[in-house]
């Protein structure tokens, strides 16, 4: 057999042999038709061998009257060719059979992948749908109807048996968890337990997840297992990391996640490594009970509430400038995101973005989301995280969400709760100054950075604020600009009102 026989068919089958269902490739119509053409060519060659052999036989018969009695022989019942021609016939016949089987195997494998999608995803994912032919989509719909009909036929107590729900049971139905605060007596399927702070115990996964949404338990493995189980079923997981004391700005992130994701996970963790000893880590506002109620109001599916994310280290000792913990025993690995972590907030808080990038990396590795949502009030942070994800090859979509504001324009922040009444009354000058700068830039065109930042700074100082920085920057690279550029520049501000540091920004 020629080395090239059936090669196209084998290559065609290899395209689908080991791919997961959601990665089903586009139907290779060209290769499929090439195999059909090869079969036709082999069939023609096979017929040619038969015809040549029979023609020679007829010629020999005419030369020998002794063979006249065989004039009525059926050529389909006898072989008149040479041994070499017999071998040739066998080669072509085998090649035809093999090519046909390769086409059938290719078609069956694609239908098997579609069938698996029905069991694991319930639908053909959008990224796969473009690769599926109309005939295959028809097969999927008909198979889905048959499966649904069968599941309805198993109705017990008014509910059919969903055979596609979690077909792979967990390795262990129990997980170990730790109670973060006194919660009182709770009844589980195997009895009642007094959940007191610090208690470590084993619970059924389903019961642990229910309590996790109430903010009672901490378990990295449970969080990771929960996210993986949802993603393995074809669900898109959205993640909103927070430091708690939730406000409408946080809720807008959760709503944005809900709009584009099937599962929404929030975390609450006040990260010590982005604070210095002179800052407000110890007094950062907290209200877990209200936070949980707010999460439920926007249909958040799960809350990750760790007590610490730093191995063998107390959070208080992780505040920058606190007494150092020996690297041999404490946390000693950090993430630093190049030049985007310089300037702006980093000028007065050089420790800040190392802490942010490190804790976000840890959270991404625990939650393993498909998308993560960040508010653009912390614009530099949003850009730093976007670069981190790009550079470290996280398969996560970073979504920036517009700033939510109070009625007077002040950017919503958990720190607003720390403002004194007098400072709160004047803090909206930040937003007002930004609006005036934007309007002036729109009206006059290019304006020098010095002119814009000086005017804003004077307005803030007049209201009793202290400027940390006011910078006109390129909105993508965050490099300083000499003058405004419509659609390409951004004014970023950090200012103190009393002891509270507030951030805001606006694109020009």
């Amino acid at each position: 057999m020629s080395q090239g026989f059936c090669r196209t068919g084998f290559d065609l089958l290899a395209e689908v042999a080991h791919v997961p269902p959601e990665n089903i490739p586009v139907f290779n119509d060209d290769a499929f038709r090439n195999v059909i053409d090869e079969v036709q060519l082999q069939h023609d060659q096979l017929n040619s061998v038969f015809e040549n052999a029979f023609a020679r036989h007829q010629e020999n018969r005419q030369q020998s009257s002794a063979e006249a009695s065989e004039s009525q022989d059926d050529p389909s019942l006898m072989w008149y060719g040479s041994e070499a021609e017999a071998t040739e016939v066998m080669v072509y016949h085998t090649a035809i059979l093999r090519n046909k089987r390769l086409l059938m195997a290719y078609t069956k494998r694609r239908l098997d992948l579609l069938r698996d999608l029905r069991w694991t995803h319930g639908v053909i994912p959008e990224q796969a749908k473009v690769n599926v032919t109309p005939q295959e989509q028809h097969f999927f719909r008909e198979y889905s109807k048959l499966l649904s009909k069968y599941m309805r036929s198993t109705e017990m107590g008014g509910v059919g048996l969903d055979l596609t729900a979690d077909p792979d049971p967990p390795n262990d139905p129990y997980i170990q968890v730790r109670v973060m605060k006194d919660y009182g007596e709770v009844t589980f399927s195997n009895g009642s337990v007094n959940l007191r702070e610090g208690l470590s115990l084993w619970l059924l996964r389903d019961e642990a997840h229910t309590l996790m949404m109430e903010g009672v338990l901490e378990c990295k493995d449970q969080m990771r297992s929960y996210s993986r189980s949802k993603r393995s079923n074809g669900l898109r997981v959205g993640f909103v990391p927070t430091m708690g004391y939730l406000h409408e700005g946080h809720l807008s992130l959760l709503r944005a996640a809900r709009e584009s994701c099937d599962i929404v996970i929030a975390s609450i963790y006040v990260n010590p490594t982005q604070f210095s000893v002179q800052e407000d880590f110890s007094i950062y506002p907290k209200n877990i009970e209200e936070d949980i109620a707010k999460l439920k109001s926007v249909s958040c599916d799960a809350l990750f509430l760790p007590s610490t994310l730093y191995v063998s280290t107390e959070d208080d000792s992780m505040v920058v400038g606190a007494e150092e913990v020996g690297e041999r025993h404490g946390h000693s690995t950090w993430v630093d995101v190049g030049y985007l972590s310089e300037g702006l907030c980093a000028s007065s808080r050089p420790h800040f973005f190392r802490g942010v990038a490190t804790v976000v990396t840890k959270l991404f590795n625990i939650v393993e989301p498909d998308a993560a949502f960040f508010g653009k009030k912390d614009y530099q942070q949003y850009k730093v995280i976007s670069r981190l994800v790009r550079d470290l090859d996280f398969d996560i979509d970073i979504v920036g969400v517009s700033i939510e504001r109070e009625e007077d324009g002040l950017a919503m922040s958990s720190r607003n709760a720390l403002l004194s009444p007098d400072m709160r009354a004047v803090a909206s000058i930040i937003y007002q100054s930004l609006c005036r700068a934007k309007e002036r830039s729109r009206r006059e065109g290019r304006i020098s950075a010095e002119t814009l930042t000086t005017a804003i700074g004077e307005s803030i100082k007049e209201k009793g604020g202290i400027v940390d920085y006011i910078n006109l920057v390129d909105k993508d690279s965050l490099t300083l600009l000499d003058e405004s550029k419509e659609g390409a520049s951004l004014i970023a501000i950090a200012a103190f009102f009393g002891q509270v540091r507030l951030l805001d920004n606006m694109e020009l």
Side-chain angles (χ1 to χ4, degrees):
M1 184 183 298
S2 170
Q3 186 176 7
F5 279 6
C6 306
R7 185 70 268 161
T8 303
F10 279 114
D11 291 343
L12 184 65
L13 182 58
E15 290 181 7
V16 295
H18 302 293
V19 299
E22 60 272 16
N23 290 342
I24 182 172
V26 65
F27 187 91
N28 195 335
D29 188 67
D30 289 341
F32 198 93
R33 292 182 182 277
N34 286 341
V35 176
I36 294 175
D37 291 342
E38 185 178 325
V39 169
Q40 184 61 54
L41 177 61
Q42 292 159 351
H43 187 270
D44 292 343
Q45 291 169 326
L46 180 62
N47 281 341
S48 177
V49 174
F50 270 110
E51 290 170 357
N52 290 337
F54 186 69
R56 284 199 313 275
H57 171 68
Q58 289 288 70
E59 183 179 345
N60 292 336
R61 275 185 56 231
Q62 292 172 3
Q63 296 175 0
S64 175
S65 58
E67 297 175 350
S69 60
E70 300 176 13
S71 60
Q72 301 301 317
D73 289 345
D74 183 351
S76 67
L77 300 178
M78 302 183 67
W79 174 246
Y80 305 105
S82 66
E83 184 176 341
E85 287 172 324
T87 301
E88 196 173 359
V89 167
M90 185 180 298
V91 167
Y92 287 129
H93 178 65
T94 303
I96 290 170
L97 291 179
R98 182 167 292 176
N99 266 328
K100 287 183 176 180
R101 289 168 181 164
L102 287 168
L103 290 180
M104 289 189 290
Y106 175 74
T107 304
K108 181 180 182 299
R109 172 58 179 162
R110 289 184 65 87
L111 296 181
D112 287 344
L113 292 173
L114 292 171
R115 181 198 62 194
D116 292 345
L117 281 175
R118 175 60 182 86
W119 285 87
T120 58
H121 292 65
V123 297
I124 303 176
E126 288 301 320
Q127 72 270 19
K129 189 175 293 184
V130 296
N131 296 336
V132 177
T133 67
Q135 294 84 355
E136 290 173 330
Q137 292 188 32
H138 176 75
F139 166 82
F140 183 89
R141 288 193 297 269
E142 293 303 311
Y143 180 81
S144 184
K145 288 178 184 177
L146 287 173
L147 180 60
S148 298
K149 182 178 179 181
Y150 176 76
M151 290 191 293
R152 287 194 299 271
S153 72
T154 63
E155 182 176 316
M156 295 178 291
V159 180
L161 181 62
D162 185 1
L163 299 174
T164 66
D166 297 326
D168 298 321
N171 294 330
D172 191 335
Y174 288 88
I175 60 169
Q176 189 175 21
V177 297
R178 185 169 68 84
V179 182
M180 294 184 61
K181 66 173 185 178
D182 291 336
Y183 194 72
E185 188 166 301
V186 176
T187 300
F188 298 105
S189 57
N190 57 352
S192 298
V193 178
N194 181 22
L195 297 182
R196 63 186 185 278
E197 183 178 356
L199 175 68
S200 179
L201 70 162
W202 292 84
L203 293 177
L204 283 168
R205 290 174 181 269
D206 290 343
E207 294 177 339
H209 175 57
T210 300
L211 284 173
M212 185 176 72
M213 266 309 302
E214 297 181 19
V216 179
L217 305 175
E218 169 212 332
C219 183
K220 296 178 185 178
D221 290 340
Q222 164 67 6
M223 184 71 267
R224 187 178 286 114
S225 175
Y226 173 83
S227 178
R228 286 179 178 178
S229 70
K230 299 304 179 183
R231 296 182 72 201
S232 69
N233 285 325
L235 300 177
R236 180 175 169 82
V237 174
F239 177 45
V240 179
T242 81
M243 295 206 300
Y245 210 76
L246 304 182
H247 50 69
E248 185 58 32
H250 295 111
L251 301 186
S252 71
L253 301 181
L254 291 156
R255 293 190 191 99
R258 173 57 64 198
E259 288 178 3
S260 61
C261 299
D262 304 299
I263 299 296
V264 177
I265 299 171
S267 67
I268 295 178
Y269 180 65
V270 183
N271 174 39
T273 63
Q274 64 195 63
F275 293 83
S276 71
V277 291
Q278 292 82 23
E279 294 173 335
D280 53 359
F281 174 72
S282 61
I283 62 170
Y284 196 88
K286 300 180 180 69
N287 194 327
I288 295 298
E289 288 76 12
E290 284 193 13
D291 285 347
I292 292 171
K294 290 176 180 178
L295 290 173
K296 290 181 177 179
S297 74
V298 292
S299 302
C300 181
D301 295 292
L303 169 64
F304 180 43
L305 191 64
S307 60
T308 184
L309 289 176
Y310 297 95
V311 178
S312 304
T313 308
E314 293 296 326
D315 274 4
D316 286 346
S317 67
M318 294 301 295
V319 172
V320 177
E323 182 179 352
E324 294 293 333
V325 177
E327 289 192 356
R328 181 184 299 272
H329 303 293
H331 182 90
S332 58
T333 304
W334 304 95
V335 180
D336 196 346
V337 184
Y339 78 92
L340 284 175
S341 295
E342 301 169 358
L344 300 180
C345 284
S347 297
S348 60
R349 305 181 74 195
H351 56 281
F352 179 72
F353 288 110
R354 186 184 79 158
V356 168
T358 300
V359 78
V360 169
T361 298
K362 293 169 74 67
L363 288 168
F364 283 171
N365 284 327
I366 295 168
V367 179
E368 298 181 345
D370 295 292
F373 297 77
F374 292 84
K376 288 187 176 180
K377 175 181 72 69
D378 303 291
Y379 193 84
Q380 188 177 14
Q381 173 179 279
Y382 160 62
K383 300 300 289 187
V384 165
I385 299 304
S386 298
R387 181 61 57 87
L388 179 153
V389 165
R390 189 202 74 174
D391 289 355
L392 298 187
D393 293 314
F394 280 105
D395 187 16
I396 301 173
D397 295 329
I398 301 300
V399 182
V401 180
S402 299
I403 299 171
E404 288 289 324
R405 299 186 179 278
E406 305 286 358
E407 290 186 5
D408 62 356
L410 180 65
M412 289 187 175
S413 169
S414 300
R415 285 189 169 93
N416 291 352
L418 300 176
L419 290 167
S420 68
D422 290 344
M423 290 291 100
R424 175 62 188 84
V426 297
S428 61
I429 188 62
I430 298 176
Y431 174 67
Q432 295 165 16
S433 299
L434 284 170
C435 288
R436 286 197 290 267
K438 180 168 184 168
E439 173 58 24
R440 183 175 179 182
S441 180
R442 185 195 65 80
R443 187 177 62 249
E444 300 179 20
R446 292 177 178 260
I447 303 176
S448 71
E450 183 179 3
T451 298
L452 290 172
T453 57
T454 299
I456 293 172
E458 289 175 352
S459 297
I460 291 174
K461 292 174 184 176
E462 286 174 2
K463 296 294 185 179
I466 300 174
V467 173
D468 182 358
Y469 68 78
I470 305 172
N471 289 141
L472 179 68
V473 298
D474 180 276
K475 69 176 185 179
D476 294 322
S477 66
L478 303 186
T479 54
L480 293 174
L481 297 177
D482 293 328
E483 59 182 12
S484 60
K485 298 178 182 178
E486 185 176 358
S489 53
L490 174 139
I491 296 182
I493 297 175
F496 287 90
F497 282 80
Q499 299 300 311
V500 182
R501 186 173 181 270
L502 302 177
L503 298 180
D504 207 341
N505 65 79
M506 186 172 291
E507 294 184 26
L508 301 184

